[in-house]
Each structure stands twice: as C-alpha cells, then as structure tokens.
Amino acid sequence: MNVLIVSSSDGITLSLLRCLGLLNIRSHVISIWKSSDSSRFSRFCKSYISSIISESSQDTEEIADIINNYCNKQKIDIIIPSGLLGTFLIALIKENLRYSSIFPLNSAEKIYNLNNKWHFYQMLKQHNIPTPETVLIETKEQIELLNLNFPVIVKPLDQGNGDGVKKIDSIEDLHSHISNENYLNNLPLLVQEYIHGYDILLNILAENGKLIAWTINRRVPYFFEFFKDEKILEIAHKIVCSCNYSGVANFDIRFDEKTNSVKVIECNPRFWASFGASVSYGIDFVNLGMLLAQGNKLPDNLKKELTCKEPEKIPYPSPSQFIKGLLLGKYPFPEINKISSDLSWQSILDPLPNIYEKIWNRLGIVNTYDGVMLNKLL
C-alpha cells in the first residue's frame, strides 16, 4: 500500500512515518509549510517533496493539482493530513482530489471553529460540557470589568504548542502582559479561570458523530499513564455527537483537585504530537482511520478502547526521552524479536531526522506556526 502524507508539521509527520513503517506501508510526503524538513531523512520516507502554500486561492488549486498528479503517478491509496494546516488544506480541497481515499476528517470550517479557542469554548457552554470560565478580552478597558479570580490563564485564540499561554497572578500583571509588544500578546486574548490540578489527554477517532476509538492518558515521569474514566468518556461521546465529528482529535482536559471533577480546555482537531503512545498501547488510530477511509469493516481483533482495569504505563515514544529512560533503568529491555514491532525502538533505529532537528534547533531557526494560515484560506 502507498500512503501520501500532506504535511505542515515535521514532528507529527515523523511519528506517522514510523507508525506506517510498522505496518510495512510505503509512505510519501508532500510538505506544504516552511519547516526543518527533518522527516525527509526518515528511513520510512520513500519520497519527499515541498510545495509551500501561500494565502492565494489559486495556490490551493495548484496544490490540489500537484497532489492529484502525484497520487496518480505513484498509485497512492490513501491521503493522510499531518499538522493543523495540512488537515485544514485537505478538508478545503478534498472534493477536488480524485485518485485516492482520504483519511476521515471534518469540513474546513469545523476544523477552524474547533481550533479557535473562543469558538470551542462557546460550543462547550452551548452543550453544557464542563469547561473553565473564560472571557474574551478585545480592548484594554475590558480588563477592569474582568470578573474572574486570580490567578488566571491568558492565551491567544488560535496559536498552538502552548505559545503565548501564561499564568497571570494579578490584574497589574495582566495589564503589563498585554502592554508588552509581542504578537502573542496582541488583543483579542482569552482570559481563563485557572484550575488547580493536572492535565489529562483525551484522544479520539470518530466518524459522522460516532466515537470509533479512544484513549485517555496523562504524563507522569518517563511514562504516559493510560486509564479509564467514565466521566471523560461520557464527555467524549457528547462532543463527538454535538459537532458530528469525523477524524482524529486530541482534547486537553484539566482535573480540578478542588472539586474532584474534570474540565475540557482545548481541542486539537488533527493528529497530536504524542499519538504514538496510544499506538504503543495497542490502539492504532492511523490503521483504524485508514480502514475507515477505504470503507472497510474494522476487524474485531483491533483494539479500539482502553481495556486496562488498572492504570497502565507506556514509555515515551520519542527517541531522546526513551533513551533517557533506558539509561536510567526505567524501561525493561524487550526480547530481540519484539524490537522490530516496538515504536519506541523503531524511533531509535531511525535517528537521522532527530539529529537534524537538534542541529536546526541549535541554530535558533524558528518557523511560523502553521495555524496562521487558517484565517487567510477560509
């Protein structure tokens, strides 16, 4: 099988390449966003080309033609988007893609609204899904009318990777933060109730408003801890149904230690950075989504939900974290014949992309967040 990854995120693309490599799938990459291009050095990448997108509608038409020509020439079976912009772009042009099946995904407008933190908050409130109290600040004068107790969390509406997110302890600090000349501090901004507790990740695959597969985990030292939680699972069903969701998504959830409850924070309507941990657990969102894309019935023997009765720990699938855990004796050494099917070990045996990425980072080269294009293309 041949798969084409349309990429705006090297990190997520690299994880996809390694997961597809475990399935013995030939993976091709078209990069549409300025990046380090580190995933082209992966031993699981059969071919890699760049076609950088601009805000021109003509540009999206040209990229659709490039993807069609590539899929026709290379006999691509399935197109998988990677990164926020990659997912958004394929949603925009999917009606014009002729030669391949497309991994399940939403409309471009729905992806935009779920990614926008204010729109997502409004959707949660509309459907009575628990979320921290949040206020949209559009002018400096509104700060004085703020009816939230400090500390609060301040964040941009549409940035990613935690950029611009900051805990603010007082109204004076909030004024100072907004007055600071930085594009991440520009109004409008969200001011959100600070929840004392810890972060939880809800990860899902859905089709037409039906939950197909899910995991729940949280980060603990050296591991992702997977566990079942009926309240969070109920929230997952409610979100998926309320917006008729299709595709993969990751939701940031906060456990409130004061009230012993959970609150939904944000949505990433795309593959997320740590999805490899779920694959290592045994729930392969990539494989399941590809089967759906081709209209195949999902085999009963494929895991689709957590089965552990007690919390289960899975090593970090990233090379640097995994090597650190090995050296400290945190992870058991698997049998030799199991290394070829272990995602963490395969990441170590695919070192060039990560070495290149470290050099890129040492040079201090920073790429613009790919989500900046969503407003311009919608």
Side-chain angles (χ1 to χ4, degrees), residues 10 29 31 35 37-40 45-50 70:
D10 260 316
V29 178
S31 174
S35 67
D37 294 339
S38 60
S39 55
R40 66 184 161 139
C45 182
K46 181 174 175 61
S47 66
Y48 188 104
I49 63 173
S50 292
Y70 191 92

Side-chain angles (χ1 to χ4, degrees), residues 75-358:
K75 298 183 174 10
I76 299 296
D77 298 289
I78 300 174
I79 297 171
I80 302 179
S82 168
L84 179 59
L85 180 58
T87 305
F88 184 79
L89 173 68
I90 295 302
L92 270 180
I93 65 175
K94 63 182 179 180
E95 302 302 326
N96 298 325
L97 301 178
R98 300 186 295 273
Y99 298 105
S100 310
S101 302
I102 298 173
F103 197 89
L105 78 169
N106 290 291
S107 67
E109 184 178 6
K110 191 174 295 182
I111 292 168
Y112 174 83
N113 286 329
L114 290 167
N115 179 70
N116 182 285
K117 297 174 179 64
W118 178 242
H119 292 170
F120 181 59
Y121 168 76
Q122 291 177 307
M123 189 209 83
L124 294 174
K125 295 296 285 186
Q126 179 185 350
H127 295 283
N128 297 314
I129 297 169
T131 185
E133 289 302 318
T134 303
V135 176
L136 177 65
I137 299 293
E138 298 178 288
T139 67
K140 291 183 179 180
E141 290 72 25
Q142 288 177 292
I143 297 175
E144 300 300 331
L145 303 175
L146 191 64
N147 190 26
L148 292 176
N149 293 326
F150 286 87
V152 295
I153 297 293
V154 176
K155 58 181 72 173
L157 273 63
D158 52 8
Q159 289 294 316
N161 306 317
D163 291 343
V165 177
K166 187 175 181 180
K167 183 181 175 185
I168 302 289
D169 294 318
S170 68
I171 196 164
E172 291 78 17
D173 290 345
L174 181 55
H175 277 293
S176 176
H177 177 76
I178 292 176
S179 298
N180 183 19
E181 292 186 3
N182 186 316
Y183 76 97
L184 293 173
N185 303 343
N186 290 341
L187 296 176
L189 288 172
L190 289 191
V191 181
Q192 192 168 73
E193 171 192 8
Y194 176 74
I195 304 298
H196 295 270
Y198 56 84
D199 295 324
I200 297 172
L201 303 176
L202 165 63
N203 317 299
I204 63 108
L205 168 67
E207 185 180 43
N208 300 324
K210 180 183 177 182
L211 191 62
I212 302 296
W214 59 272
T215 60
I216 300 168
N217 58 35
R218 66 172 181 150
R219 293 180 177 88
V220 297
Y222 304 104
F223 294 93
F224 280 96
E225 184 178 76
F226 286 77
F227 60 96
K228 297 178 76 172
D229 187 297
E230 292 302 326
K231 290 182 180 177
I232 295 177
L233 184 55
E234 183 181 341
I235 287 171
H237 282 286
K238 198 168 185 178
I239 292 175
V240 166
C241 180
S242 64
C243 61
N244 195 34
Y245 198 85
S246 288
V248 291
N250 158 261
F251 299 90
D252 294 335
I253 292 177
R254 189 82 170 165
F255 181 80
D256 190 335
E257 293 177 338
K258 289 185 176 180
T259 62
N260 196 34
S261 63
V262 293
K263 292 180 170 67
V264 182
I265 306 291
E266 294 176 15
C267 173
N268 298 303
R270 52 167 174 77
F271 274 105
W272 55 102
S274 63
F275 79 88
S278 293
V279 176
S280 294
Y281 175 84
I283 300 177
D284 192 339
F285 289 101
V286 187
N287 191 23
L288 290 168
M290 289 193 301
L291 289 170
L292 290 177
Q294 294 185 307
N296 295 327
K297 183 180 178 181
L298 301 183
D300 292 335
N301 64 335
L302 286 183
K303 271 190 181 180
K304 304 173 190 67
E305 59 184 39
L306 298 183
T307 55
C308 51
K309 294 182 180 179
E310 298 294 331
E312 186 173 335
K313 293 180 179 179
I314 297 295
Y316 277 90
S318 61
S320 58
Q321 291 286 345
F322 188 68
I323 290 172
K324 185 178 179 180
L326 283 173
L327 293 175
L328 293 173
K330 303 294 182 180
Y331 306 148
F333 198 97
E335 298 173 30
I336 294 298
N337 64 341
K338 291 185 178 179
I339 288 179
S340 62
S341 61
D342 185 282
L343 185 60
S344 297
W345 277 100
Q346 290 308 298
S347 71
I348 293 177
L349 298 174
D350 186 33
L352 287 181
N354 296 95
I355 293 171
Y356 184 83
E357 190 74 35
K358 283 190 178 296

